[in-house]
Amino acid sequence: MSYIPTPEQAEELVKRYNKEPFHIQHAETVSKVMGELAKEFDPERADFWAAVGMLHDIDFELCPEQHCVKANELLHELDIDEDMIHAVISHGYGICIDVEPQLYMEKVLYAVDELTGLIGAAALMRPTGLEGMEVKSVKKKFKDKKFAAGCSRDVIIRGAEMCGWELDELISRTINAMRA
């Protein structure tokens, strides 16, 4: 019988397979953003959203060249719920796996994963961090392809479209969720 881990159990799993503080912090950030956004879109499943956010890069440190493919295998070995596995691996759609985000939650994960990295990098450049950060300042960094170059602008734009949001709305929602 497969199971659905709590966000805390998901964090334990992530820490079992990841040792780099950056990767753990990224997982925590995405988990918190997903949990915050779930409060608006799917409040009864906020823990599910948060756990998916936590697990989304569980395999990245182990096998970056097989990201999401390895997560699929690993999460099956751990007997994780099939819906959760689909949600986790679909964030790599068109990048490293052909599993398309279907549920709204999966589309939100796809959209915010890369964006949290860009916003986090922008926050590090500011003396006040996320406090007072505005959409226009993130968009300025977004347009600078050299800034946080590892964060795919195409994925962020595609994610916003999947969610039915304008880019500004996605950025605003993500900033607010990261602040919370």
Side-chain angles (χ1 to χ4, degrees), residues 59-101:
D59 65 336
F60 194 79
E61 228 174 273
L62 290 173
C63 306
E65 67 290 337
Q66 286 189 290
H67 181 42
C68 294
V69 174
K70 191 67 178 169
N72 187 25
E73 295 169 12
L74 180 64
L75 295 172
H76 274 100
E77 287 170 17
L78 293 168
D79 207 24
I80 303 295
D81 175 75
E82 204 59 51
D83 290 340
M84 185 169 274
I85 293 172
H86 187 276
V88 166
I89 65 175
S90 71
H91 88 277
Y93 177 64
I95 305 161
C96 53
I97 201 160
D98 62 357
V99 176
E100 190 170 356

mmCIF file of all heavy atoms in Angstrom, residues 59-101:
data_model
loop_
_atom_site.group_PDB
_atom_site.id
_atom_site.type_symbol
_atom_site.label_atom_id
_atom_site.label_comp_id
_atom_site.label_asym_id
_atom_site.label_seq_id
_atom_site.Cartn_x
_atom_site.Cartn_y
_atom_site.Cartn_z
ATOM 1 N N ASP A 59 15.916 13.812 -6.360
ATOM 2 C CA ASP A 59 16.972 13.073 -7.055
ATOM 3 C C ASP A 59 18.060 13.955 -7.647
ATOM 4 O O ASP A 59 19.027 13.457 -8.213
ATOM 5 C CB ASP A 59 16.355 12.245 -8.180
ATOM 6 C CG ASP A 59 15.728 13.113 -9.266
ATOM 7 O OD1 ASP A 59 15.365 14.275 -8.980
ATOM 8 O OD2 ASP A 59 15.595 12.633 -10.399
ATOM 9 N N PHE A 60 17.921 15.265 -7.527
ATOM 10 C CA PHE A 60 18.803 16.161 -8.276
ATOM 11 C C PHE A 60 20.277 16.010 -7.908
ATOM 12 O O PHE A 60 21.140 16.003 -8.780
ATOM 13 C CB PHE A 60 18.368 17.625 -8.130
ATOM 14 C CG PHE A 60 19.020 18.507 -9.131
ATOM 15 C CD1 PHE A 60 18.552 18.549 -10.437
ATOM 16 C CD2 PHE A 60 20.134 19.268 -8.807
ATOM 17 C CE1 PHE A 60 19.166 19.343 -11.391
ATOM 18 C CE2 PHE A 60 20.763 20.062 -9.749
ATOM 19 C CZ PHE A 60 20.277 20.108 -11.045
ATOM 20 N N GLU A 61 20.565 15.877 -6.625
ATOM 21 C CA GLU A 61 21.951 15.733 -6.203
ATOM 22 C C GLU A 61 22.521 14.370 -6.601
ATOM 23 O O GLU A 61 23.684 14.258 -6.958
ATOM 24 C CB GLU A 61 22.045 15.906 -4.685
ATOM 25 C CG GLU A 61 23.143 16.840 -4.272
ATOM 26 C CD GLU A 61 23.144 17.108 -2.793
ATOM 27 O OE1 GLU A 61 22.441 18.034 -2.354
ATOM 28 O OE2 GLU A 61 23.855 16.378 -2.074
ATOM 29 N N LEU A 62 21.702 13.341 -6.541
ATOM 30 C CA LEU A 62 22.134 11.985 -6.885
ATOM 31 C C LEU A 62 22.439 11.848 -8.371
ATOM 32 O O LEU A 62 23.459 11.274 -8.742
ATOM 33 C CB LEU A 62 21.034 10.970 -6.553
ATOM 34 C CG LEU A 62 20.720 10.672 -5.102
ATOM 35 C CD1 LEU A 62 19.482 9.785 -5.012
ATOM 36 C CD2 LEU A 62 21.900 9.991 -4.436
ATOM 37 N N CYS A 63 21.526 12.329 -9.197
ATOM 38 C CA CYS A 63 21.604 12.092 -10.644
ATOM 39 C C CYS A 63 21.090 13.302 -11.425
ATOM 40 O O CYS A 63 20.024 13.219 -12.036
ATOM 41 C CB CYS A 63 20.764 10.891 -11.030
ATOM 42 S SG CYS A 63 21.130 9.403 -10.134
ATOM 43 N N PRO A 64 21.824 14.401 -11.434
ATOM 44 C CA PRO A 64 21.306 15.582 -12.148
ATOM 45 C C PRO A 64 21.047 15.322 -13.634
ATOM 46 O O PRO A 64 20.135 15.896 -14.213
ATOM 47 C CB PRO A 64 22.393 16.642 -11.941
ATOM 48 C CG PRO A 64 23.591 15.923 -11.449
ATOM 49 C CD PRO A 64 23.136 14.637 -10.836
ATOM 50 N N GLU A 65 21.824 14.402 -14.218
ATOM 51 C CA GLU A 65 21.642 14.099 -15.645
ATOM 52 C C GLU A 65 20.414 13.219 -15.895
ATOM 53 O O GLU A 65 19.993 13.079 -17.036
ATOM 54 C CB GLU A 65 22.905 13.464 -16.237
ATOM 55 C CG GLU A 65 23.248 12.081 -15.714
ATOM 56 C CD GLU A 65 23.727 12.006 -14.262
ATOM 57 O OE1 GLU A 65 24.227 13.004 -13.711
ATOM 58 O OE2 GLU A 65 23.580 10.933 -13.662
ATOM 59 N N GLN A 66 19.845 12.631 -14.844
ATOM 60 C CA GLN A 66 18.635 11.803 -14.977
ATOM 61 C C GLN A 66 17.519 12.343 -14.093
ATOM 62 O O GLN A 66 16.654 11.596 -13.636
ATOM 63 C CB GLN A 66 18.931 10.361 -14.567
ATOM 64 C CG GLN A 66 19.745 9.592 -15.563
ATOM 65 C CD GLN A 66 19.789 8.135 -15.148
ATOM 66 O OE1 GLN A 66 20.414 7.772 -14.151
ATOM 67 N NE2 GLN A 66 19.102 7.301 -15.905
ATOM 68 N N HIS A 67 17.556 13.672 -13.847
ATOM 69 C CA HIS A 67 16.573 14.311 -12.973
ATOM 70 C C HIS A 67 15.156 13.973 -13.427
ATOM 71 O O HIS A 67 14.864 13.961 -14.602
ATOM 72 C CB HIS A 67 16.805 15.826 -12.979
ATOM 73 C CG HIS A 67 15.881 16.592 -12.104
ATOM 74 N ND1 HIS A 67 15.525 16.177 -10.840
ATOM 75 C CD2 HIS A 67 15.230 17.760 -12.309
ATOM 76 C CE1 HIS A 67 14.702 17.063 -10.306
ATOM 77 N NE2 HIS A 67 14.506 18.031 -11.181
ATOM 78 N N CYS A 68 14.302 13.703 -12.512
ATOM 79 C CA CYS A 68 12.896 13.303 -12.676
ATOM 80 C C CYS A 68 12.762 11.837 -13.090
ATOM 81 O O CYS A 68 11.869 11.161 -12.603
ATOM 82 C CB CYS A 68 12.105 14.223 -13.606
ATOM 83 S SG CYS A 68 11.909 15.886 -12.925
ATOM 84 N N VAL A 69 13.618 11.354 -13.967
ATOM 85 C CA VAL A 69 13.598 9.930 -14.326
ATOM 86 C C VAL A 69 13.992 9.120 -13.090
ATOM 87 O O VAL A 69 13.327 8.149 -12.717
ATOM 88 C CB VAL A 69 14.552 9.641 -15.512
ATOM 89 C CG1 VAL A 69 14.646 8.147 -15.780
ATOM 90 C CG2 VAL A 69 14.104 10.396 -16.757
ATOM 91 N N LYS A 70 15.073 9.545 -12.436
ATOM 92 C CA LYS A 70 15.535 8.856 -11.226
ATOM 93 C C LYS A 70 14.536 9.057 -10.078
ATOM 94 O O LYS A 70 14.307 8.135 -9.296
ATOM 95 C CB LYS A 70 16.929 9.361 -10.840
ATOM 96 C CG LYS A 70 17.581 8.524 -9.771
ATOM 97 C CD LYS A 70 17.904 7.134 -10.302
ATOM 98 C CE LYS A 70 18.602 6.312 -9.241
ATOM 99 N NZ LYS A 70 18.693 4.910 -9.618
ATOM 100 N N ALA A 71 13.941 10.258 -9.993
ATOM 101 C CA ALA A 71 12.941 10.517 -8.948
ATOM 102 C C ALA A 71 11.773 9.549 -9.090
ATOM 103 O O ALA A 71 11.265 9.033 -8.091
ATOM 104 C CB ALA A 71 12.436 11.956 -9.023
ATOM 105 N N ASN A 72 11.365 9.293 -10.317
ATOM 106 C CA ASN A 72 10.271 8.353 -10.578
ATOM 107 C C ASN A 72 10.612 6.982 -9.985
ATOM 108 O O ASN A 72 9.814 6.394 -9.251
ATOM 109 C CB ASN A 72 10.027 8.265 -12.084
ATOM 110 C CG ASN A 72 8.801 7.452 -12.436
ATOM 111 O OD1 ASN A 72 7.871 7.316 -11.644
ATOM 112 N ND2 ASN A 72 8.794 6.911 -13.638
ATOM 113 N N GLU A 73 11.818 6.492 -10.266
ATOM 114 C CA GLU A 73 12.260 5.193 -9.746
ATOM 115 C C GLU A 73 12.356 5.221 -8.210
ATOM 116 O O GLU A 73 11.861 4.315 -7.537
ATOM 117 C CB GLU A 73 13.634 4.834 -10.315
ATOM 118 C CG GLU A 73 13.660 4.616 -11.809
ATOM 119 C CD GLU A 73 15.084 4.539 -12.359
ATOM 120 O OE1 GLU A 73 16.057 4.418 -11.565
ATOM 121 O OE2 GLU A 73 15.223 4.597 -13.594
ATOM 122 N N LEU A 74 13.018 6.248 -7.704
ATOM 123 C CA LEU A 74 13.252 6.366 -6.264
ATOM 124 C C LEU A 74 11.942 6.429 -5.473
ATOM 125 O O LEU A 74 11.772 5.724 -4.472
ATOM 126 C CB LEU A 74 14.092 7.620 -5.996
ATOM 127 C CG LEU A 74 14.456 7.935 -4.563
ATOM 128 C CD1 LEU A 74 15.346 6.841 -3.981
ATOM 129 C CD2 LEU A 74 15.189 9.272 -4.509
ATOM 130 N N LEU A 75 11.017 7.243 -5.937
ATOM 131 C CA LEU A 75 9.745 7.398 -5.221
ATOM 132 C C LEU A 75 8.898 6.125 -5.306
ATOM 133 O O LEU A 75 8.176 5.805 -4.358
ATOM 134 C CB LEU A 75 8.988 8.625 -5.729
ATOM 135 C CG LEU A 75 9.692 9.965 -5.443
ATOM 136 C CD1 LEU A 75 8.979 11.112 -6.140
ATOM 137 C CD2 LEU A 75 9.823 10.222 -3.955
ATOM 138 N N HIS A 76 9.012 5.400 -6.406
ATOM 139 C CA HIS A 76 8.336 4.098 -6.480
ATOM 140 C C HIS A 76 8.951 3.118 -5.478
ATOM 141 O O HIS A 76 8.236 2.388 -4.803
ATOM 142 C CB HIS A 76 8.369 3.525 -7.903
ATOM 143 C CG HIS A 76 7.259 4.014 -8.759
ATOM 144 N ND1 HIS A 76 7.421 5.023 -9.687
ATOM 145 C CD2 HIS A 76 5.958 3.654 -8.815
ATOM 146 C CE1 HIS A 76 6.270 5.249 -10.290
ATOM 147 N NE2 HIS A 76 5.356 4.433 -9.773
ATOM 148 N N GLU A 77 10.288 3.112 -5.405
ATOM 149 C CA GLU A 77 10.968 2.239 -4.434
ATOM 150 C C GLU A 77 10.553 2.574 -3.001
ATOM 151 O O GLU A 77 10.465 1.682 -2.156
ATOM 152 C CB GLU A 77 12.492 2.385 -4.561
ATOM 153 C CG GLU A 77 13.068 1.742 -5.795
ATOM 154 C CD GLU A 77 14.535 2.123 -6.020
ATOM 155 O OE1 GLU A 77 15.201 2.619 -5.073
ATOM 156 O OE2 GLU A 77 15.009 1.931 -7.150
ATOM 157 N N LEU A 78 10.292 3.850 -2.737
ATOM 158 C CA LEU A 78 9.879 4.296 -1.401
ATOM 159 C C LEU A 78 8.378 4.084 -1.162
ATOM 160 O O LEU A 78 7.876 4.399 -0.093
ATOM 161 C CB LEU A 78 10.243 5.771 -1.205
ATOM 162 C CG LEU A 78 11.740 6.074 -1.161
ATOM 163 C CD1 LEU A 78 11.979 7.581 -1.262
ATOM 164 C CD2 LEU A 78 12.362 5.516 0.107
ATOM 165 N N ASP A 79 7.696 3.570 -2.184
ATOM 166 C CA ASP A 79 6.262 3.276 -2.104
ATOM 167 C C ASP A 79 5.408 4.529 -1.891
ATOM 168 O O ASP A 79 4.419 4.521 -1.162
ATOM 169 C CB ASP A 79 5.979 2.237 -1.014
ATOM 170 C CG ASP A 79 4.714 1.447 -1.304
ATOM 171 O OD1 ASP A 79 4.337 1.357 -2.491
ATOM 172 O OD2 ASP A 79 4.098 0.962 -0.351
ATOM 173 N N ILE A 80 5.809 5.614 -2.554
ATOM 174 C CA ILE A 80 5.059 6.875 -2.499
ATOM 175 C C ILE A 80 3.838 6.762 -3.421
ATOM 176 O O ILE A 80 3.883 6.119 -4.473
ATOM 177 C CB ILE A 80 5.958 8.064 -2.916
ATOM 178 C CG1 ILE A 80 7.198 8.155 -2.035
ATOM 179 C CG2 ILE A 80 5.181 9.373 -2.938
ATOM 180 C CD1 ILE A 80 6.972 8.471 -0.582
ATOM 181 N N ASP A 81 2.779 7.420 -3.028
ATOM 182 C CA ASP A 81 1.525 7.460 -3.780
ATOM 183 C C ASP A 81 1.752 7.878 -5.241
ATOM 184 O O ASP A 81 2.526 8.799 -5.527
ATOM 185 C CB ASP A 81 0.586 8.461 -3.082
ATOM 186 C CG ASP A 81 -0.699 8.671 -3.834
ATOM 187 O OD1 ASP A 81 -1.557 7.782 -3.784
ATOM 188 O OD2 ASP A 81 -0.831 9.731 -4.479
ATOM 189 N N GLU A 82 1.076 7.188 -6.138
ATOM 190 C CA GLU A 82 1.231 7.410 -7.583
ATOM 191 C C GLU A 82 0.909 8.850 -7.995
ATOM 192 O O GLU A 82 1.596 9.431 -8.839
ATOM 193 C CB GLU A 82 0.316 6.423 -8.321
ATOM 194 C CG GLU A 82 0.732 6.097 -9.718
ATOM 195 C CD GLU A 82 2.124 5.479 -9.851
ATOM 196 O OE1 GLU A 82 2.453 4.502 -9.155
ATOM 197 O OE2 GLU A 82 2.893 6.000 -10.678
ATOM 198 N N ASP A 83 -0.147 9.451 -7.407
ATOM 199 C CA ASP A 83 -0.495 10.839 -7.745
ATOM 200 C C ASP A 83 0.612 11.797 -7.333
ATOM 201 O O ASP A 83 0.894 12.774 -8.026
ATOM 202 C CB ASP A 83 -1.813 11.256 -7.068
ATOM 203 C CG ASP A 83 -3.020 10.547 -7.662
ATOM 204 O OD1 ASP A 83 -2.934 10.035 -8.805
ATOM 205 O OD2 ASP A 83 -4.061 10.503 -6.977
ATOM 206 N N MET A 84 1.226 11.517 -6.198
ATOM 207 C CA MET A 84 2.319 12.365 -5.728
ATOM 208 C C MET A 84 3.530 12.224 -6.647
ATOM 209 O O MET A 84 4.176 13.220 -6.979
ATOM 210 C CB MET A 84 2.690 12.037 -4.282
ATOM 211 C CG MET A 84 3.747 12.972 -3.718
ATOM 212 S SD MET A 84 3.952 12.810 -1.939
ATOM 213 C CE MET A 84 2.682 13.929 -1.350
ATOM 214 N N ILE A 85 3.819 11.010 -7.075
ATOM 215 C CA ILE A 85 4.953 10.789 -7.981
ATOM 216 C C ILE A 85 4.726 11.556 -9.281
ATOM 217 O O ILE A 85 5.624 12.254 -9.764
ATOM 218 C CB ILE A 85 5.173 9.286 -8.260
ATOM 219 C CG1 ILE A 85 5.618 8.568 -6.983
ATOM 220 C CG2 ILE A 85 6.203 9.089 -9.386
ATOM 221 C CD1 ILE A 85 5.686 7.051 -7.097
ATOM 222 N N HIS A 86 3.525 11.454 -9.835
ATOM 223 C CA HIS A 86 3.220 12.184 -11.079
ATOM 224 C C HIS A 86 3.420 13.676 -10.883
ATOM 225 O O HIS A 86 4.016 14.360 -11.726
ATOM 226 C CB HIS A 86 1.788 11.888 -11.548
ATOM 227 C CG HIS A 86 1.494 12.480 -12.889
ATOM 228 N ND1 HIS A 86 1.093 13.793 -13.054
ATOM 229 C CD2 HIS A 86 1.557 11.958 -14.128
ATOM 230 C CE1 HIS A 86 0.919 14.043 -14.333
ATOM 231 N NE2 HIS A 86 1.199 12.929 -15.016
ATOM 232 N N ALA A 87 2.929 14.199 -9.760
ATOM 233 C CA ALA A 87 3.064 15.629 -9.475
ATOM 234 C C ALA A 87 4.536 16.030 -9.390
ATOM 235 O O ALA A 87 4.945 17.050 -9.963
ATOM 236 C CB ALA A 87 2.336 15.980 -8.181
ATOM 237 N N VAL A 88 5.328 15.232 -8.694
ATOM 238 C CA VAL A 88 6.750 15.536 -8.511
ATOM 239 C C VAL A 88 7.480 15.543 -9.851
ATOM 240 O O VAL A 88 8.193 16.494 -10.179
ATOM 241 C CB VAL A 88 7.409 14.527 -7.541
ATOM 242 C CG1 VAL A 88 8.932 14.605 -7.608
ATOM 243 C CG2 VAL A 88 6.927 14.754 -6.111
ATOM 244 N N ILE A 89 7.311 14.503 -10.635
ATOM 245 C CA ILE A 89 8.125 14.400 -11.852
ATOM 246 C C ILE A 89 7.629 15.306 -12.981
ATOM 247 O O ILE A 89 8.414 15.693 -13.832
ATOM 248 C CB ILE A 89 8.278 12.937 -12.337
ATOM 249 C CG1 ILE A 89 6.954 12.331 -12.783
ATOM 250 C CG2 ILE A 89 8.949 12.095 -11.247
ATOM 251 C CD1 ILE A 89 7.073 10.939 -13.386
ATOM 252 N N SER A 90 6.353 15.689 -12.951
ATOM 253 C CA SER A 90 5.830 16.532 -14.034
ATOM 254 C C SER A 90 6.429 17.937 -14.036
ATOM 255 O O SER A 90 6.334 18.636 -15.040
ATOM 256 C CB SER A 90 4.301 16.595 -13.982
ATOM 257 O OG SER A 90 3.853 17.350 -12.872
ATOM 258 N N HIS A 91 7.089 18.340 -12.943
ATOM 259 C CA HIS A 91 7.712 19.675 -12.958
ATOM 260 C C HIS A 91 8.888 19.735 -13.931
ATOM 261 O O HIS A 91 9.348 20.811 -14.286
ATOM 262 C CB HIS A 91 8.144 20.112 -11.540
ATOM 263 C CG HIS A 91 9.513 19.683 -11.161
ATOM 264 N ND1 HIS A 91 9.790 18.421 -10.667
ATOM 265 C CD2 HIS A 91 10.711 20.336 -11.218
ATOM 266 C CE1 HIS A 91 11.083 18.328 -10.429
ATOM 267 N NE2 HIS A 91 11.664 19.463 -10.753
ATOM 268 N N GLY A 92 9.362 18.566 -14.384
ATOM 269 C CA GLY A 92 10.458 18.522 -15.351
ATOM 270 C C GLY A 92 9.989 18.386 -16.791
ATOM 271 O O GLY A 92 10.787 18.126 -17.692
ATOM 272 N N TYR A 93 8.692 18.606 -17.016
ATOM 273 C CA TYR A 93 8.105 18.442 -18.355
ATOM 274 C C TYR A 93 8.836 19.293 -19.402
ATOM 275 O O TYR A 93 9.039 20.486 -19.217
ATOM 276 C CB TYR A 93 6.625 18.817 -18.326
ATOM 277 C CG TYR A 93 5.952 18.737 -19.675
ATOM 278 C CD1 TYR A 93 5.834 17.520 -20.330
ATOM 279 C CD2 TYR A 93 5.454 19.871 -20.293
ATOM 280 C CE1 TYR A 93 5.213 17.437 -21.574
ATOM 281 C CE2 TYR A 93 4.827 19.802 -21.525
ATOM 282 C CZ TYR A 93 4.716 18.583 -22.166
ATOM 283 O OH TYR A 93 4.112 18.500 -23.392
ATOM 284 N N GLY A 94 9.223 18.633 -20.485
ATOM 285 C CA GLY A 94 9.860 19.329 -21.588
ATOM 286 C C GLY A 94 11.310 19.702 -21.313
ATOM 287 O O GLY A 94 11.964 20.292 -22.159
ATOM 288 N N ILE A 95 11.799 19.369 -20.119
ATOM 289 C CA ILE A 95 13.179 19.695 -19.755
ATOM 290 C C ILE A 95 13.967 18.395 -19.640
ATOM 291 O O ILE A 95 15.000 18.219 -20.272
ATOM 292 C CB ILE A 95 13.238 20.451 -18.412
ATOM 293 C CG1 ILE A 95 12.348 21.699 -18.449
ATOM 294 C CG2 ILE A 95 14.679 20.833 -18.061
ATOM 295 C CD1 ILE A 95 11.989 22.233 -17.086
ATOM 296 N N CYS A 96 13.423 17.473 -18.832
ATOM 297 C CA CYS A 96 14.147 16.224 -18.583
ATOM 298 C C CYS A 96 13.222 15.005 -18.572
ATOM 299 O O CYS A 96 13.687 13.888 -18.372
ATOM 300 C CB CYS A 96 14.917 16.312 -17.262
ATOM 301 S SG CYS A 96 13.905 16.801 -15.864
ATOM 302 N N ILE A 97 11.915 15.225 -18.780
ATOM 303 C CA ILE A 97 10.970 14.107 -18.789
ATOM 304 C C ILE A 97 9.747 14.530 -19.603
ATOM 305 O O ILE A 97 9.448 15.722 -19.716
ATOM 306 C CB ILE A 97 10.587 13.691 -17.333
ATOM 307 C CG1 ILE A 97 10.059 12.257 -17.303
ATOM 308 C CG2 ILE A 97 9.627 14.684 -16.703
ATOM 309 C CD1 ILE A 97 10.109 11.611 -15.922
ATOM 310 N N ASP A 98 9.040 13.546 -20.161
ATOM 311 C CA ASP A 98 7.873 13.889 -21.001
ATOM 312 C C ASP A 98 6.542 13.711 -20.273
ATOM 313 O O ASP A 98 5.506 13.552 -20.904
ATOM 314 C CB ASP A 98 7.894 13.096 -22.310
ATOM 315 C CG ASP A 98 7.820 11.593 -22.093
ATOM 316 O OD1 ASP A 98 7.806 11.153 -20.924
ATOM 317 O OD2 ASP A 98 7.782 10.856 -23.099
ATOM 318 N N VAL A 99 6.559 13.776 -18.952
ATOM 319 C CA VAL A 99 5.341 13.667 -18.147
ATOM 320 C C VAL A 99 4.785 15.071 -17.968
ATOM 321 O O VAL A 99 5.406 15.926 -17.329
ATOM 322 C CB VAL A 99 5.630 13.012 -16.775
ATOM 323 C CG1 VAL A 99 4.381 12.990 -15.917
ATOM 324 C CG2 VAL A 99 6.185 11.606 -16.973
ATOM 325 N N GLU A 100 3.623 15.316 -18.566
ATOM 326 C CA GLU A 100 3.035 16.657 -18.585
ATOM 327 C C GLU A 100 2.246 16.954 -17.312
ATOM 328 O O GLU A 100 1.509 16.101 -16.829
ATOM 329 C CB GLU A 100 2.115 16.786 -19.799
ATOM 330 C CG GLU A 100 1.638 18.180 -20.052
ATOM 331 C CD GLU A 100 0.920 18.330 -21.387
ATOM 332 O OE1 GLU A 100 0.865 17.352 -22.162
ATOM 333 O OE2 GLU A 100 0.422 19.430 -21.638
ATOM 334 N N PRO A 101 2.394 18.177 -16.776
ATOM 335 C CA PRO A 101 1.552 18.558 -15.638
ATOM 336 C C PRO A 101 0.078 18.562 -16.062
ATOM 337 O O PRO A 101 -0.264 19.155 -17.084
ATOM 338 C CB PRO A 101 2.008 19.985 -15.306
ATOM 339 C CG PRO A 101 3.339 20.144 -15.963
ATOM 340 C CD PRO A 101 3.322 19.231 -17.154
#
